[in-house]
Amino acid sequence: MPSHSAESSQIVQHRIPAEGADQLILAGVNDANLQELARVFGCRVVLRDDHLVLSGPLADVERCIPVAQHMIDLARLETPFAPGDIRRFAEVVAESEGLAPSALEASKIFLPGRRRIITPKSAGQKLYIDEIAQKDIVISIGPAGTGKTYLAVAMAVDALHKKRVRRVILTRPVVEAGEQLGFLPGSVEEKVDPYLRPLYDALGDMMPPDQMRRSLENRTLEIAPLAYMRGRTLSDAFVILDEAQNTTKLQMKMFLTRLGLNSRAVITGDKTQIDLPRREDSGLLEVERILKGIDGISFVYLTEVDVVRHHLVREIIKAYAIERSNESEPREAE
């Protein structure tokens, strides 16, 4: 009887029907997509007679099948993708114990104003979207590039469009300005605007310019520094606190106690980018300790696996994490 390892190394061929798929999208320019699929999984990949043919060791072919099928599904929908996306599809399968990339489609967000569909790019992002849909307070912690703010804004615009809330409020602390704020030219709004610009950029991706302008004018949308939230009750609203690692403990408590009836909040932050004078004063670190286990509050941790920027961003994040780990290790006495 052959051993399991012998079965895994058996050379097999598997044909996946690809009728109706746009062959240029599927194969990529100069077959770049097929070449990347072959490289990632160690298989031979050929597009032949409306079939995608995979051949190689049994274990490699089995790992390749869900990614190849997802590529065919996208090509049938005429949804373009690139070799970098194939690497991400493979990571979804690897990190999610076989979760097919097509499972991410169940959590997609449709933005009618822009006629765009936003789909999570990883299992972590899918969990994040699902938790926002189900919980009143979601706290997302992870490095830059994982979509923490972008996906939260997309969910907020979606909730506004579906009339689940009457307004969307985006806020973040303006801690970077510090004492230098008074030396900047212009009004207070003009001084803090550069620090709120990432929120405007995210909204601009979700809404047509004229709709965004009208919503800001009638206060359906509000973008403001965290200090402007003091003393308010935020009812019937979707509230996002961005860059939460730079809130103080008192600011975080103030924000959390602003929530009124029919409101939900998403808090995003990166514990590696705390700009406060003392790291231990961060409100994000405190809520991570004291709010876990409360029903209705969810913590979602994103990692470098969920990074959707340039592929080198993931490697940079990993390199910094290793460096911090080395710095924190106690050195032996010489």
Side-chain angles (χ1 to χ4, degrees):
M1 181 177 178
S3 66
H4 178 71
S5 60
E7 291 178 355
S8 298
S9 60
Q10 176 187 356
I11 302 301
V12 300
Q13 184 180 91
H14 184 80
R15 294 166 62 87
I16 305 176
E19 299 94 338
D22 185 308
Q23 294 202 359
L24 179 57
I25 291 177
L26 178 58
V29 178
N30 296 324
D31 290 341
N33 291 339
L34 300 185
Q35 291 172 13
E36 182 65 12
L37 184 66
R39 189 194 68 79
V40 169
F41 290 101
C43 300
R44 185 168 181 263
V45 181
V46 178
L47 185 58
R48 181 188 301 146
D49 299 329
D50 282 336
H51 282 78
L52 197 60
V53 183
L54 313 177
S55 55
L58 175 61
D60 295 337
V61 170
E62 287 180 338
R63 290 187 304 114
C64 184
I65 288 171
V67 175
Q69 184 62 62
H70 186 58
M71 292 167 58
I72 292 170
D73 292 341
L74 291 176
R76 283 177 175 148
L77 295 171
E78 298 185 357
T79 301
F81 54 89
D85 295 310
I86 295 168
R87 289 191 292 271
R88 190 155 51 243
F89 300 156
E91 286 157 4
V92 169
V93 175
E95 295 292 329
S96 310
E97 299 181 351
L99 174 69
S102 55
L104 302 178
E105 297 288 331
S107 299
K108 61 187 176 185
I109 308 165
F110 177 59
L111 301 173
R114 283 288 191 187
R115 295 186 178 180
R116 290 187 55 198
I117 295 176
I118 295 176
T119 304
K121 302 296 187 183
S122 68
Q125 288 192 351
K126 180 183 187 306
L127 173 65
Y128 182 35
I129 288 176
D130 291 345
E131 289 297 287
I132 292 174
Q134 297 169 15
K135 301 292 176 63
D136 288 337
I137 297 177
V138 175
I139 301 170
S140 175
I141 298 174
T146 51
K148 301 184 302 296
T149 303
Y150 192 82
L151 293 175
V153 172
M155 289 293 285
V157 172
D158 180 63
L160 186 64
H161 171 72
K162 293 177 178 175
K163 302 190 184 305
R164 292 173 179 163
V165 296
R166 288 192 298 122
R167 53 183 174 157
V168 170
I169 300 171
L170 312 179
T171 185
R172 67 188 328 196
V174 187
V175 73
E176 297 94 337
E179 295 178 354
Q180 299 177 10
L181 188 63
F183 295 97
L184 296 174
S187 64
V188 173
E189 287 76 12
E190 291 170 333
K191 290 176 182 179
V192 301
D193 182 76
Y195 303 102
L196 302 175
R197 181 51 49 187
L199 298 176
Y200 284 102
D201 291 343
L203 269 176
D205 247 11
M206 312 292 172
M207 305 175 73
D210 56 339
Q211 182 185 354
M212 180 175 166
R213 186 186 66 254
R214 288 195 305 271
S215 297
L216 288 168
E217 289 173 353
N218 63 26
R219 310 294 282 181
T220 302
L221 282 178
E222 182 179 349
I223 304 176
L226 180 60
Y228 287 24
M229 299 297 111
R230 189 174 300 278
R232 301 177 59 182
T233 300
L234 308 177
S235 300
D236 205 17
F238 194 119
V239 191
I240 298 173
L241 171 57
D242 193 33
E243 297 288 332
Q245 75 275 3
N246 288 326
T247 63
T248 65
K249 296 176 182 179
L250 288 177
Q251 285 176 325
M252 181 64 79
K253 181 180 178 182
M254 178 272 290
F255 172 80
L256 289 169
T257 54
R258 297 306 92 202
L259 294 182
L261 296 176
N262 190 39
S263 286
R264 57 182 56 199
V266 177
I267 297 169
T268 72
D270 178 356
K271 293 190 293 184
T272 69
Q273 296 192 29
I274 296 174
D275 296 320
L276 298 172
R278 297 198 322 153
R279 175 183 172 84
E280 58 270 26
D281 289 337
S282 171
L284 182 64
L285 299 184
E286 183 176 60
V287 295
E288 188 182 18
R289 289 195 309 270
I290 68 178
L291 297 187
K292 280 189 174 178
I294 295 179
D295 190 33
I297 299 179
S298 175
F299 284 81
V300 177
Y301 292 89
L302 301 174
T303 69
E304 67 273 4
V305 172
D306 304 297
V307 170
V308 294
R309 293 180 182 169
H310 193 287
H311 68 92
L312 285 178
V313 172
R314 180 176 306 172
E315 300 305 317
I316 291 168
I317 291 169
K318 288 167 65 175
Y320 272 98
I322 293 170
E323 177 66 16
R324 285 194 304 273
S325 176
N326 292 339
E327 289 176 353
S328 64
E329 290 179 359
R331 296 184 178 179
E332 296 182 3
E334 295 181 358

